[in-house]
Amino acid sequence: MTIIDKAAEAPAPRGAGENGHPLLQVRDLHVEFHTRDGVAKAVNGVNYTVDAGETLAVLGESGSGKSVTAQAIMGILDMPPGRIPKGEILFRGEDMLTMSSDERRRLRGRKIAMIFQDALSSLNPVLSVGYQLGEMFRVHQGLSKKDAKAKAIELMDRVKIPAARARVNDYPHQFSGGMRQRIMIAMALALEPDLIIADEPTTALDVTVQAQVMELLAELQREYNMGLILITHDLGVVADVADKIAVMYAGRIVETAPVHELYKRPAHPYTRGLLDSIPRLDQKGQELYAIKGLPPNLTRIPTGCAFNPRCPKADDLCRTEIPALAPVTEQDGSELPGRGSACHFWKETIHG
Amino acid sequence: MGRYVARRLLQMIPVFIGSTFLIFAMMFALPGDPVRALMGEQAYDPAVVAHIRADLGLDQPLWQQYATYLWHLVQGDFGTEIASKREISEIIAQAFPVTIRLTLFAFTFTVLVGISLGVIAGLRPDSVRDRGLLTLTLVLISMPSFVLGYLMQYLFAFQWGITTPTVQDSNNFGDLFLPAVVLGSLSLAYVARLTRTSMAENLRADYMRTAVAKGLPRRRIVGVHLMRNSLIPVVTFLGTDIGNLMTGAIVTEGIFNVQGVGKTIFDALTRREGSTVVGIASLIVLVFLLTSLLVDLLYAVLDPRIRYA
């Protein structure tokens, strides 16, 4: 399988995979959590598609449902209290939600891998990194302990950890933050999966290391032609690596766009707010813009557009009717490929 | 590591001297007199008693008696009992193997049953079986060992006639079953609870989520990733518990008539045989010191984040 993927090197046709299906397709996904305070609706009808070699950035604040969507794809949601009442997650056209738990387990790590935010707590503190990396080969490929260790060293070299051979028996706490995140990346990369989900991979790192880690991730993704879902709340991280962006708010996608178009002309007031709240050097000394209010409580999402209590443009329509993710067009009506906005007033927002 | 062990071993010397001196002083302070106990009810000549006391060195001040005792002890001489004229080393050689056997029996029982119960409950926190274990361990913890001991005696020996009420042959493993269960039950409750809590807590750890995301089979996730982390506090508890089991045997050995250290030390105490009490207590102190060193070293082996310099 991986051999076929590699044959379709860099300029692979975007869109269809080898059997006419996109690599990953999320369709109308709903996730809810049953808590003591009621049902928290974390994800409310998310749709997105990722193709081989493509990077989708999912943007949103804490609690917007971006991580929960990723965990649902990965199959690592805690169920209960989590529940998926509706939706499909198609991996190469097959719905993973209807697979047996064993079938899903076989996909995890081998076909779809995940990089977590905090590498220190996400790595097992009492097992050496060599063991934890080698485990992938021992479990999925039945390699011997010795061969697995050799592979682990190879992987550590691959993600540019200096003196890999000497450090393979070290434990996670003996590495720096950036090196630990490299180990997480190496672990996700081990079996050359088709899709990698990176859940805020650079949030716990300082800025210079952030750039190095993102660069490494992008480089490896190009090399293996993997699909990448990059979950982040950092607009700066996204710009250089992503192909397209989905902005999430209260469990819904409120805007999708190819990366540079989103920065140039946002079509949703929330996206505009996010962009305006990035500090800029040329506005030094002025007050930094901030979106008023707080993200909604997921057990009591406002009626109509979930963003309406915080939106400067909101009127009565926004308070009653949920806007659908509508295609965004140019002023003359010509299509803007890949763009969509879930705002009743997207026209005013993008063109006004 | 080597330096650490050497330092710890050297630290043991003052602790050992201090604790034996305390026990020695307490025996000295107790009312009663071994020589008069020897005389019993019969009339005695105070001059004879004084002579015997002088012979045994009991007329000397405390510090001198202690110094003499310690001097003999380092030469491997535990002294002799006043009444029976038996070598104390011989008494110890008879009693210790019995208690060690009982302790190991109870320890094995604690480890096997306690950890298994803890794992079963800890994998499903707040389930019916978890609550069941919580109740069971609460009962075991709040029940004094003599109550449990007599209860077991009543049920197993008198009601069902499975065993004899007391131990006939202290060197027979089968006979030691009942006292071992009674002795180990308290530790068992603690071990089960500790295991359960540790498992339930680690179950929510980030690295567990990573292990699932790696596509590992559940057996491996629990067996390698969860257990390896969860058993660290349990192992350290078990280590210090060996000493507790040995001393806790005093009551249990009394109930079941096991001819071990506990019963010997109790008898010696009632007869004011100071040398016997101090001798046995010193050995138990030594066991405590060595097991706690062992636990600290084991801790570093189990958790790579801990290093001794």
Side-chain angles (χ1 to χ4, degrees):
Chain A
M1 194 154 215
T2 39
I3 296 165
I4 300 169
D5 292 345
K6 277 200 177 159
E9 212 33 92
R14 296 276 160 93
E18 72 239 43
N19 51 3
H21 294 289
L23 183 61
L24 180 89
Q25 195 172 15
V26 178
R27 276 197 205 151
D28 195 27
L29 184 72
H30 288 71
V31 181
E32 55 190 35
F33 292 95
H34 292 256
T35 67
R36 223 171 282 177
D37 306 322
V39 179
K41 296 195 162 146
V43 178
N44 304 298
V46 161
N47 293 283
Y48 57 62
T49 309
V50 184
D51 289 311
E54 190 180 42
T55 300
L56 165 72
V58 182
L59 212 68
E61 337 171 55
S62 314
S64 60
K66 52 194 198 307
S67 288
V68 175
T69 310
Q71 285 173 12
I73 295 169
M74 205 62 209
I76 53 171
L77 270 181
D78 283 328
M79 301 205 277
R83 216 169 73 84
I84 301 177
K86 217 167 127 190
E88 286 176 325
I89 300 171
L90 306 176
F91 182 72
R92 295 195 183 285
E94 267 185 274
D95 189 2
M96 292 201 292
L97 294 178
T98 57
M99 286 181 186
S100 74
S101 61
D102 205 48
E103 276 176 297
R104 284 206 85 176
R105 178 180 72 72
R106 272 179 234 279
L107 284 180
R108 277 200 289 270
R110 185 150 54 174
K111 295 286 165 208
I112 308 177
M114 190 153 175
I115 298 166
F116 295 97
Q117 184 186 132
D118 182 0
L120 181 60
S121 64
S122 296
L123 291 168
N124 195 323
V126 299
L127 301 173
S128 71
V129 297
Y131 183 91
Q132 293 186 63
L133 289 170
E135 209 176 19
M136 298 296 282
F137 302 104
R138 289 172 64 193
V139 168
H140 289 283
Q141 297 181 342
L143 256 58
S144 71
K145 228 171 177 165
K146 200 172 142 232
D147 293 345
K149 182 156 279 180
K151 284 274 202 181
I153 296 170
E154 219 171 274
L155 267 179
M156 286 167 75
D157 271 331
R158 198 76 207 71
V159 295
K160 296 172 186 143
I161 292 173
R165 189 169 297 277
R167 304 214 64 186
V168 69
N169 291 323
D170 282 1
Y171 292 90
H173 71 276
Q174 291 166 303
F175 289 86
S176 68
M179 287 299 144
R180 270 199 293 266
Q181 196 53 276
R182 281 166 196 264
I183 289 163
M184 276 253 81
I185 293 174
M187 201 147 80
L189 215 72
L191 304 172
E192 299 177 17
D194 300 337
L195 177 70
I196 285 194
I197 304 172
D199 190 353
E200 308 203 18
T202 58
T203 307
L205 306 175
D206 65 61
V207 181
T208 48
V209 182
Q210 271 185 13
Q212 291 168 11
V213 168
M214 279 318 298
E215 214 169 283
L216 173 73
L217 199 56
E219 183 192 316
L220 294 167
Q221 183 216 3
R222 267 197 305 280
E223 193 174 321
Y224 295 116
N225 198 37
M226 297 178 296
L228 174 66
I229 299 178
L230 182 66
I231 298 167
T232 180
H233 57 237
D234 188 341
L235 283 156
V237 166
V238 174
D240 306 323
V241 289
D243 296 310
K244 56 184 190 184
I245 292 189
V247 182
M248 283 189 74
Y249 188 81
R252 263 176 229 281
I253 292 181
V254 293
E255 179 167 8
T256 58
V259 64
H260 293 294
E261 294 202 29
L262 185 106
Y263 283 84
K264 251 184 281 170
R265 287 191 302 175
H268 195 285
Y270 178 60
T271 317
R272 158 139 295 163
L274 286 179
L275 291 172
D276 286 346
S277 50
I278 300 174
R280 286 169 49 168
L281 267 180
D282 57 338
Q283 287 171 355
K284 205 172 150 192
Q286 295 173 39
E287 195 181 328
L288 185 64
Y289 177 80
I291 302 174
K292 281 179 291 173
L294 292 170
N297 180 339
L298 293 176
T299 55
R300 284 185 298 275
I301 295 175
T303 54
C305 173
F307 187 57
N308 81 66
R310 305 171 73 185
C311 184
K313 290 195 166 79
D315 71 4
D316 289 342
L317 179 66
C318 302
R319 280 183 270 277
T320 50
E321 211 157 301
I322 300 177
L325 189 68
V328 170
T329 59
E330 211 55 91
Q331 236 155 348
D332 57 11
S334 60
E335 203 190 336
L336 286 166
R339 293 211 64 168
S341 167
C343 177
H344 294 300
F345 303 104
W346 62 264
K347 274 186 193 130
E348 290 85 332
T349 312
I350 188 171
H351 304 304
Chain B
M1 189 74 160
R3 282 188 58 177
Y4 174 79
V5 175
R7 206 170 65 220
R8 284 287 301 265
L9 286 171
L10 284 176
Q11 278 170 0
M12 277 184 189
I13 296 170
V15 175
F16 183 76
I17 293 176
S19 52
T20 48
F21 178 74
L22 276 177
I23 301 162
F24 199 87
M26 280 187 247
M27 283 309 294
F28 191 85
L30 275 179
D33 183 328
V35 181
R36 258 193 251 164
L38 189 69
M39 296 297 181
E41 294 294 310
Q42 54 183 307
Y44 51 84
D45 178 0
V48 174
V49 171
H51 185 71
I52 297 175
R53 285 177 61 88
D55 247 14
L56 294 166
L58 294 176
D59 56 343
Q60 290 168 352
L62 171 64
W63 66 268
Q64 212 172 340
Q65 282 189 39
Y66 178 68
T68 317
Y69 178 78
L70 207 62
W71 177 241
H72 287 297
L73 197 62
V74 281
Q75 290 171 322
D77 179 13
F78 281 89
T80 45
E81 277 206 331
I82 295 165
S84 64
K85 299 277 189 298
R86 280 176 72 198
E87 288 273 337
I88 290 167
S89 54
E90 188 190 309
I91 296 171
I92 289 173
Q94 221 164 51
F96 252 85
V98 173
T99 294
I100 288 173
R101 199 171 291 146
L102 181 65
T103 302
L104 286 182
F105 203 157
F107 187 73
T108 315
F109 172 70
T110 301
V111 171
L112 292 182
V113 183
I115 292 181
S116 313
L117 285 177
V119 169
I120 290 169
L123 281 177
R124 295 234 187 292
D126 297 319
S127 60
V128 176
R129 63 193 199 200
D130 182 30
R131 284 173 205 288
L133 177 88
L134 233 56
T135 317
L136 174 77
T137 52
L138 191 68
V139 169
L140 287 179
I141 288 171
S142 48
M143 185 149 33
S145 63
F146 62 88
V147 174
L148 188 65
Y150 288 129
L151 190 71
M152 297 276 259
Q153 245 175 7
Y154 174 74
L155 289 177
F156 282 87
F158 300 120
Q159 287 300 109
W160 304 327
I162 301 171
T163 56
T164 51
T166 52
V167 174
Q168 306 301 312
D169 176 6
S170 295
N171 290 313
N172 184 338
F173 259 102
D175 270 19
L176 288 178
F177 178 75
L178 221 48
V181 169
V182 173
L183 181 62
S185 67
L186 181 67
S187 305
L188 178 139
Y190 281 122
V191 167
R193 281 201 164 198
L194 198 59
T195 310
R196 180 255 167 215
T197 309
S198 187
M199 296 266 290
E201 196 179 287
N202 283 311
L203 213 50
R204 291 195 302 265
D206 283 352
Y207 63 79
M208 285 296 289
R209 194 184 53 188
T210 310
V212 178
K214 280 164 89 176
L216 308 180
R218 186 165 164 79
R219 264 184 51 195
R220 190 178 183 87
I221 295 171
V222 172
V224 177
H225 288 263
L226 181 59
M227 294 290 269
R228 185 74 172 67
N229 279 279
S230 302
L231 288 184
I232 293 171
V234 180
V235 169
T236 51
F237 173 81
L238 282 171
T240 47
D241 203 45
I242 290 184
N244 286 331
L245 283 174
M246 289 190 79
T247 46
I250 293 182
V251 175
T252 315
E253 285 184 2
I255 295 170
F256 290 99
N257 189 38
V258 179
Q259 304 298 323
V261 164
K263 205 158 165 6
T264 311
I265 209 169
F266 183 76
D267 289 346
L269 228 108
T270 50
R271 286 186 283 111
R272 299 289 178 271
E273 291 284 2
S275 307
T276 315
V277 176
V278 180
I280 292 175
S282 309
L283 280 178
I284 291 175
V285 167
L286 214 59
V287 169
F288 264 105
L289 288 174
L290 287 175
T291 48
S292 68
L293 174 62
L294 207 67
V295 164
D296 286 346
L297 295 180
L298 205 59
Y299 203 43
V301 174
L302 290 174
D303 192 338
R305 285 165 297 184
I306 289 167
R307 281 282 165 266
Y308 298 121

